[in-house]
Each structure stands twice: as structure tokens, then as C-alpha cells.
Amino acid sequence: MKEECRVIFHPLNTVVSVLPGTNLLAALRNAHVQIESICGGKGECGKCRVIIESGDFREKRLTQKNHLTTAERERGYRLACEIFVTGDMEVTIPVESRIERPQILCGLSGECDCGGMDPAVRLYPLEIRSNPTLPHAGTSIRLKEYSGKRPAISDSVYRKMQEPDTGLVAVLTETNGYPEVIDAIPKEKAGPPLGIALDLGTTTIACALVDLDSGLVIAEETTMNKQITYGEEVITRIAFAMKGDGLRILQQAAAGSINVAIRRVAETAGVDPLDLVEIAVSSNTVMNHLLTGTDPGYLELADADVPRKPFIRKAASLGISIHPEAYCFCLPNVSRFVGGDAVSGVLSSGLHCGSDISLFIDLGTNGEIVMGNKDWIASISCASGPAFEGAGVSSGMRAMHGAIEKVAIEPDTGEAHCMVIGGGKPRGICGSGLIDCVTGMFGAGIIDFKGILTDHPLVREGHNGPEYVVVRAEDSQTGRDIVITQADMDYFMDSKAALCGGIGVLLKKYRMKVTDIRHIFLAGAFGAFVDIHNTVAFGIIPYFPNAEVHPVGNTSLKGAYAALVSKTKRREAEKIAGTMVYIDLLVDVDFIEEYTAALYIPGKEEYFPGRVDPASGRETDGEADGEEKGFSR
């Protein structure tokens, strides 16, 4: 047997050499090929589909789930996580398995208003004078216009300050709680200090390059988090991190992804990444741990005591390629699954500032919901986000080129009409399209009030049970039917019930009614692209008749920006994290009742007062004029 096997991945023309017995999914990771793998290689999701063109391999079925039809297996389809390389191979990555051109929200542009500039990093001209009173006739060094505590200075920076006949500017940071001069640079090279605001998501990364003097956003870029091939969900990442060298691998993947984003914004702005003197990161609790190399194992415990202080590290120690002495400031966490991104959401939405009761909803890979006002704040987290991003369903995909983003179903015939991101034939269906689709299916009688597929003429018996065909094979980019199966509906109903039930727990704990909520802040892609009326009609979130809906964009990135340009906002974030109540739904006695009631469409009558029209999601008040009421934007 050869010492190494050569694997060629088409159509990427990527070649990697691996030892015999290497798992094909691991080989893809080694080749830095990003491929769908929601379950992280357990054989459960069926997303890491590849086509074996030729070569020697061994197959090990990891689960009893049959994700591939007999016809597909005859054409060479396999799951990468179930294939082990035993010889040279040629493998095609089919279009449905590729991760490319994601639709990622940035949401910063120009100058952002966060209540005033107060950055942790500033530049001060140096004034160097000979001082005969000092031992050996030394020199005194003063920072012009600086009036704070005496800053710490390393020996290497101090020596650089004493270089003769050179006008120097000191780079001073207060990120670590005390003033520290991290560099002295020639005056002619000293432009405004530059920093990075970064949203480190479980799936995606958004990055902004910021002028720390003016607050101007110079450039923005997005990329995928390279950790996604190790598992879509944070629980899967924790499990991987606890095995062998897993934590180091995930930490390097996070840092490598960040460096890609930083390199892109630096190229756009025409600056050297090594001139960037600060980075502020907003992410969930697990990602915070993985980025900083902090063991996340304890986060599996329901009684985990999560520190509510920001993680602060030298960027270089994390492998982030900016100024070697720059700091990385991570916004503080609240609990196991409510992290700095949720704190950023509260900070940037202003939920904590007014007297009105408000609700903040951020559905990413994980879902966070925060309720409160200036007097109190409470939060929950639910594992419903992946379903609303298109993950976990048979034809689901991220919001990227080729994804169905809008669906209208004719109530009389049940025929689906789709809008595709980028146009052309679809590859699959993303979260916003999925919500439209299931709501239309309910309105057309294709599913009943429990989410069960009916004997509708367009429901057929498929490979894995009953299914509704959204797009026929000949009209799809993959050559496969895009369908909603009963298993998909079961998963979606579970996710819908988790989210609506979680909101119900918050309302019940604080004795609130739906009429008490005055503002709904919808973050991220969920707020930007999802039809709010369909969301209510299906019972994903309750109907709040007195609430004004605010799509607030990428609040995680906005929170990182605020922390980057303002020490005051950093203190505000710490206060939010320190006072926010967290209700763990896994151990809460009220959640089962709320969850069970939400397993019906739309859900508990008290959360959906009046008649909710499945086609529009709007409540009619029964008046003679037929005036419709609903959320206002």
C-alpha cells in the first residue's frame, strides 16, 4: 500500500495527499475545501454529499439513516464522512454541497453614531528632552496632550522612543485596564489609528475597518467561518474541541477565518494589516471560548458558571495578523448560549434605554431572545436558528446564490412560485423561503394544524415518506427534486415550537401579555429578509398588536463597532451582561407547557388574539369595515 494517497477534488481542481485510511471529510478539511457538514461528520445530516468518480475507498455507514437513493448511489453519490481513502481518488463536489457566495449582512457604512468617540487606542506625539538631573544625564519622555496615569512601556518600545533626531508618535492603548504604549512610530507614517470591528458568527464572519479618530467605516468584508466543516451547531463544536487536538484546530480555524476577512478589508483600503492597532469581536459564548482557546467543555453543564467579563487577549497570541502588540477585546458573555452577540444586540438596539417593554430576536445558527427595558432585562436561548437558516431540512441551504428566498403557493392548486437569489434554477431553499413555503402549505391545506402532510394531490410518497414537491428535478440546478418531507416538517415544527415557546416563557415569567410589548427588534438576516406576517401566521413568533417592528441589521457587528470606538460603550456592555437574567429552557418547568402548546399552528390563543389569516399573517378585528391590523414597521 502506498505511503500517501492522492485525492483530486473537482470542479475545484484541488489536490491533497493523505495517509491511507483518512476520512474523506477530513481530507476535504485538510484541503481547505468548504463543504456542508451540519452534524460535523456523524452521518446524521446527509449534507456532505460527494460523487466518487474513481479510486479506492472503504465505506463505513455511520447511522441507519438512508440519505441517498439507490439511483444516486449507482451514480457514485456518497457521504464524505462515511468514506475512508485507501488509494488515489477523484471526487466531485456537487453543487448542493458547496458553500459559496453567501448572503451575509454587514450593515455598517460611513460614519456610525454610537454616542461619541472615546476609543481605547489613541496617538500622542512624543516630546523627548535631555534631563541633566536624571542619572547619567538621561532623557525625559512626555506624551503631548496626555494627562492620564503613567503608561506602561516595554523595553523594546522605550528604546525605540530614544532614537535621536526622529519625530515619533506613541500608540497608547487602555484596553487591558491600564494605559500602555505599544509602539512608537515616525510622525510621517502616523495616520489615524485603525481598528477592526468583527462579528464572529458560528457560520459567517462580517468585518469592518474603522478610523478610530473619526469613527468612519473605511471598508467592510464578509467570509465564511472555516469551522463550519467541523459541525454547524455549537454543541457539535464543543464535542469536537474536547477530542484530542480539537480545540487547537478550531482556534486556528477561527483565527484563520478572521485573517481572511482582515486581509480583504486591508487590501480594499490599501493599508498594511500590521498597522491595525485594535480589534473588537462580538460572538456567542462558544465562539468566544474557541477563538481564545478557552476550554468550552464546562458549557455542556446546565449549571455552568460563565464569566461575565470580556475576554481580552493580545491579538498575536490568538494568531490574528494585525499589529503584534494590539489587543483583541471580546464583548462579555451572559450564559452558556447567550453571548457577546446578544449583548451587542441590546447595546446597539437601545432596548436597555427606554421605559417601553421591548423584545429583541436574533435567529442565527442559534437563537437568542431578550426582553426588557431600562429597569430589567431577561434572556433565553433556543436551538431553533438552524431551521430558520435552511439547515436541517432535506433541501435546505444557506442564503446564497441559487437559494430559493421567496415562495408563493397558490391556495387553490398548491403550486409553488419561487424567487431565487441570483436568478436561474434553484439549488435548494433557505430560511426565508422555507417560512414562506410552510405558511403557504398551511394556507393551501397541504399540511394540517399539526404540520402533518395531508392527502393533497401534490403530496406524494417519496424515498423517505410523504413529501411535497416545491421544484421538480428538471427545473432545479441539482437535477433533484426540491421537496419538503414529513421529516422536514417535524423538524421545522419542533424549531417553531422552541422559539415561540421560549418567548412564551419570558412572557409568563414576567407576567406580560402580547399587548404589553411595544417594540420588536429583529436582528440579522431574519429581520432583513423574512416576511414578518408569514412568521406570525405560522406561529413562529406571537402576534404583538401594539408593537412596532424594527429590522436592525447586523447588531453583532454594530455592537463590536461601538466597543471598538468607545470605552463608555464597553462599560455599558459589561453592565448589560452583568444585570441580564438568563432563563435556561433546558431546566425550566414552564417550557414544556409552552413548547407543547406551540406545536400547533399558530399556537396558544392568547398569543394570537383574534383571527390570523394564514395567507397574510394579519389579524382582522371583526369590524364591519374589515380593517386589518398587524405589526407596523
Side-chain angles (χ1 to χ4, degrees):
M1 185 177 288
K2 298 170 62 175
E3 288 187 5
E4 287 193 336
C5 307
R6 188 167 176 262
V7 184
I8 303 174
F9 296 113
H10 300 296
L12 310 174
N13 295 323
T14 298
V15 183
V16 63
S17 294
V18 298
L19 294 173
T22 298
N23 179 260
L24 186 59
L25 182 59
L28 284 158
R29 293 166 176 166
N30 291 341
H32 304 292
V33 175
Q34 292 185 330
I35 184 174
E36 295 283 0
S37 177
I38 293 172
C39 67
K42 299 176 184 176
E44 296 175 354
C45 67
K47 294 290 186 180
C48 60
R49 299 161 60 94
V50 297
I51 303 171
I52 308 296
E53 303 291 355
S54 63
D56 300 322
F57 63 92
R58 173 172 55 86
E59 184 175 9
K60 180 181 179 182
R61 303 298 293 276
L62 301 180
T63 72
Q64 297 303 311
K65 291 185 178 181
N66 192 0
H67 295 291
L68 302 172
T69 66
T70 301
E72 287 173 332
R73 291 183 63 83
E74 289 175 351
R75 298 205 311 269
Y77 275 88
R78 296 292 189 274
L79 300 183
C81 63
E82 296 184 340
I83 297 301
F84 296 83
V85 180
T86 58
D88 292 348
M89 297 181 66
E90 289 195 37
V91 179
T92 294
I93 313 299
V95 65
E96 65 267 28
S97 299
R98 300 177 209 154
I99 299 174
E100 53 191 14
R101 285 181 283 183
Q103 187 167 279
I104 306 173
L105 282 181
C106 266
L108 299 180
S109 59
E111 186 175 352
C112 295
D113 180 16
C114 69
M117 296 295 299
D118 181 26
V121 179
R122 291 186 182 274
L123 303 185
Y124 294 94
L126 286 176
E127 186 176 70
I128 303 175
R129 296 176 179 175
S130 298
N131 191 340
T133 65
L134 293 176
H136 310 295
T139 58
S140 65
I141 301 174
R142 188 172 70 88
L143 277 61
K144 292 182 180 179
E145 301 177 3
Y146 174 72
S147 58
K149 296 179 180 179
R150 182 185 296 272
I153 305 174
S154 68
D155 290 342
S156 60
V157 173
Y158 186 73
R159 285 193 296 270
K160 188 182 291 188
M161 287 179 168
Q162 294 180 309
E163 293 177 3
D165 302 324
T166 303
L168 294 175
V169 175
V171 182
L172 184 139
T173 178
E174 297 180 82
T175 293
N176 208 24
Y178 57 88
E180 176 183 358
V181 177
I182 61 173
D183 203 355
I185 55 179
K187 186 181 299 183
E188 61 271 16
K189 294 183 179 180
L194 301 176
I196 292 289
L198 191 125
D199 164 31
L200 176 60
T202 310
T203 305
T204 59
I205 291 173
C207 173
L209 177 65
V210 181
D211 179 329
L212 298 183
D213 274 349
S214 66
L216 184 69
V217 178
I218 301 170
E220 293 179 281
E221 286 290 344
T222 61
T223 188
M224 301 299 291
N225 187 336
K226 294 180 180 180
Q227 292 182 347
I228 55 178
T229 56
Y230 300 97
E232 185 93 7
E233 298 179 345
V234 291
I235 291 295
T236 307
R237 304 261 178 100
I238 292 174
F240 185 87
M242 294 172 66
K243 295 179 181 177
D245 211 18
L247 180 57
R248 182 189 63 81
I249 292 172
L250 291 177
Q251 195 283 323
Q252 290 182 349
S257 305
I258 291 172
N259 286 337
V260 169
I262 290 174
R263 186 168 61 250
R264 289 176 180 173
V265 291
E267 288 175 356
T268 300
V271 300
D272 187 341
L274 295 179
D275 291 336
L276 307 179
V277 292
E278 183 88 334
I279 179 169
V281 177
S282 174
S283 63
N284 64 52
T285 307
V286 175
M287 289 309 307
N288 255 329
H289 282 65
L290 296 180
L291 171 62
T292 57
T294 305
D295 185 356
Y298 76 103
L299 298 177
E300 290 188 320
L301 305 175
D303 59 349
D305 184 14
V306 177
R308 297 196 180 196
K309 293 293 183 181
F311 289 165
I312 298 173
R313 304 284 190 275
K314 286 283 187 179
S317 71
L318 305 179
I320 298 176
S321 300
I322 59 175
H323 190 289
E325 294 301 316
Y327 280 100
C328 174
F329 176 91
C330 299
L331 277 95
N333 304 307
V334 174
S335 66
R336 297 190 299 159
F337 303 124
V338 173
D341 51 353
V343 172
S344 286
V346 174
L347 183 69
S348 59
S349 68
L351 176 147
H352 62 303
C353 297
S355 56
D356 288 341
I357 306 298
S358 301
L359 198 66
F360 171 83
I361 302 174
D362 185 7
L363 293 186
T365 306
N366 196 51
E368 295 93 21
I369 299 94
V370 182
M371 185 172 74
N373 63 5
K374 62 182 178 62
D375 299 317
W376 58 274
I377 305 174
S379 63
I380 62 163
S381 175
C382 57
S384 61
F388 303 126
E389 290 192 325
V393 297
S394 55
S395 298
M397 63 179 293
R398 292 180 182 83
M400 61 178 65
H401 189 87
I404 297 171
E405 62 174 340
K406 296 291 181 184
V407 179
I409 293 180
E410 295 182 12
D412 296 332
T413 65
E415 288 287 340
H417 302 279
C418 305
M419 181 184 295
V420 180
I421 297 174
K425 292 184 176 182
R427 293 168 47 185
I429 185 166
C430 68
S432 61
L434 187 60
I435 291 173
D436 287 350
C437 188
V438 295
T439 306
M441 290 167 67
F442 181 56
I446 298 169
I447 56 174
D448 65 16
F449 70 99
K450 294 186 290 185
I452 305 298
L453 287 164
T454 66
D455 59 355
H456 191 279
L458 294 185
V459 174
R460 71 184 188 188
E461 190 66 24
H463 178 66
N464 290 310
E467 61 186 23
Y468 165 72
V469 181
V470 183
V471 177
R472 295 174 180 84
E474 59 269 23
D475 297 321
S476 76
Q477 193 180 150
T478 63
R480 301 167 61 218
D481 293 324
I482 296 175
V483 299
I484 303 295
T485 68
Q486 186 57 62
D488 295 337
M489 283 306 312
D490 293 343
Y491 178 69
F492 193 85
M493 290 295 291
D494 175 73
S495 297
K496 159 259 200 289
L499 175 58
C500 190
I503 294 174
V505 168
L506 283 174
L507 293 171
K508 187 172 184 177
K509 296 289 186 189
Y510 289 86
R511 298 182 180 180
M512 294 290 165
K513 298 178 181 178
V514 291
T515 51
D516 294 325
I517 306 300
R518 297 307 175 96
H519 298 279
I520 308 291
F521 299 105
L522 297 179
F526 183 77
F529 301 113
V530 166
D531 187 312
I532 185 64
H533 296 303
N534 283 344
T535 305
V536 174
F538 201 78
I540 296 169
I541 64 174
Y543 175 58
F544 299 100
N546 298 326
E548 183 178 354
V549 176
H550 310 272
V552 287
N554 188 337
T555 55
S556 181
L557 183 61
K558 290 177 180 178
Y561 170 87
L564 180 69
V565 302
S566 173
K567 291 180 292 182
T568 302
K569 289 296 181 181
R570 292 185 180 186
R571 291 190 292 270
E572 200 172 325
E574 287 194 58
K575 183 178 178 181
I576 291 169
T579 58
M580 187 184 297
V581 173
Y582 174 66
I583 300 170
D584 193 332
L585 298 183
L586 292 178
V587 296
D588 186 78
V589 294
D590 292 322
F591 179 61
I592 291 299
E593 177 189 340
E594 295 292 336
Y595 167 84
T596 303
L599 283 172
Y600 298 93
I601 303 171
K604 292 177 73 171
E605 185 176 353
E606 63 193 86
Y607 298 155
F608 301 91
R611 183 180 66 82
V612 179
D613 179 2
S616 68
R618 299 182 181 181
E619 179 195 15
T620 57
D621 60 9
E623 296 292 335
D625 61 5
E627 180 183 357
E628 289 186 332
K629 297 188 296 183
F631 287 117
S632 59
R633 287 182 183 265

